[in-house]
Amino acid sequence: GENVEQHPSTLSVQEGDSAVIKCTYSDSASNYFPWYKQELGKRPQLIIDIRSNVGEKKDQRIAVTLNKTAKHFSLHITETQPEDSAVYFCAASWSGNEKLTFGTGTRLTIIP
Amino acid sequence: SQTIHQWPATLVQPVGSPLSLECTVEGTSNPNLYWYRQAAGRGLQLLFYSVGIGQISSEVPQNLSASRPQDRQFILSSKKLLLSDSGFYLCAWSAMDREVQPQHFGDGTRLSIL
């Protein structure tokens, strides 16, 4: 089955700097890669996703890049703000599979 | 637009008592439905998922069960709770499609077993 590894497990970044979280996946059939943000005590919320037919997707300060050859994808947050502090989860899946395989999460702390 | 409701938001139960958590989705038909559990400070563990009424797939053998009596209703149950059942229970839905669709989570139920 699919295995998703996520690094780092914790990340502290000065406010205004950029943050990068990386995930690797094992199943070359995977073609859908969402990212979720979970604030303390709240539900995970989808913040961005990418399909394997593109290499990069941006939404304001958030971007995701995908390297299918190396089987890894990354979340990039620029100009970080205190409200970016949260746990971020990556996930992977493929067409015809109803399940997502999640990474173990990254706790991002933005230092004011 | 689609919405997902979970209740109760918090629950404190004694060991050995039964459990019933309910999740309903509005604004969509024939969704895929999921139950996850999250221990404090940990990741998301998929417990059950369903692609249709009466169709339940179990991911982790344990003393929990799930049922889908209606298209947009998903219920998580236990006959006798264990201390290890404590956690944050999240229901999620996704649209059924040829391509994988994102999952959307409910607000969760925080379950404490005493």
Side-chain angles (χ1 to χ4, degrees):
Chain A
E2 174 66 280
N3 182 51
V4 176
E5 295 189 357
Q6 184 172 347
H7 299 281
S9 57
T10 61
L11 179 61
S12 294
V13 174
Q14 207 71 34
E15 183 178 353
D17 289 349
S18 296
V20 181
I21 302 170
K22 298 181 180 180
C23 289
T24 60
Y25 60 98
S26 60
D27 195 331
S28 57
S30 289
N31 59 5
Y32 176 67
F33 309 93
W35 285 89
Y36 288 83
K37 175 185 180 182
Q38 187 177 27
E39 297 178 7
L40 189 63
K42 302 288 184 65
R43 62 188 171 99
Q45 290 191 287
L46 179 72
I47 55 172
I48 196 167
D49 56 7
I50 191 169
R51 297 189 186 272
S52 60
N53 57 343
V54 296
E56 183 176 5
K57 184 176 179 180
K58 287 184 179 179
D59 183 2
Q60 300 182 351
R61 296 186 297 109
I62 293 174
V64 56
T65 57
L66 171 64
N67 184 326
K68 288 187 290 184
T69 303
K71 290 192 282 189
H72 67 70
F73 57 110
S74 300
L75 177 71
H76 304 255
I77 306 174
T78 59
E79 300 173 15
T80 53
Q81 302 169 3
E83 52 264 37
D84 294 329
S85 293
V87 177
Y88 291 81
F89 292 98
C90 63
S93 188
W94 63 90
S95 299
N97 179 19
E98 299 85 9
K99 300 181 292 183
L100 293 175
T101 300
F102 283 91
T104 49
T106 296
R107 183 174 299 280
L108 175 63
T109 302
I110 306 302
I111 305 166
Chain B
S1 64
Q2 301 88 2
T3 55
I4 179 168
H5 301 280
Q6 263 189 265
W7 65 92
T10 59
L11 189 60
V12 180
Q13 292 284 96
V15 169
S17 63
L19 173 74
S20 181
L21 301 180
E22 189 163 342
C23 171
T24 60
V25 180
E26 296 178 356
T28 187
S29 296
N30 200 26
N32 294 323
L33 296 172
Y34 308 84
W35 278 112
Y36 289 87
R37 178 170 62 198
Q38 188 174 35
R42 305 298 294 273
L44 298 161
Q45 180 188 33
L46 179 63
L47 301 175
F48 301 94
Y49 70 96
S50 171
V51 299
I53 296 174
Q55 299 179 61
I56 309 294
S57 296
S58 173
E59 291 295 298
V60 183
Q62 53 201 321
N63 68 321
L64 299 173
S65 62
S67 62
R68 184 170 177 172
Q70 301 180 43
D71 181 45
R72 290 169 289 176
Q73 184 184 29
F74 206 22
I75 298 172
L76 183 69
S77 303
S78 174
K79 292 182 180 178
K80 283 187 177 182
L81 286 167
L82 307 173
L83 280 174
S84 58
D85 290 324
S86 292
F88 190 39
Y89 287 81
L90 290 154
C91 181
W93 75 274
S94 68
M96 190 168 292
D97 192 270
R98 186 173 54 86
E99 284 193 335
V100 180
Q101 297 299 311
Q103 292 183 19
H104 305 279
F105 289 85
D107 287 332
T109 295
R110 195 161 303 280
L111 175 64
S112 299
I113 309 299
L114 302 179

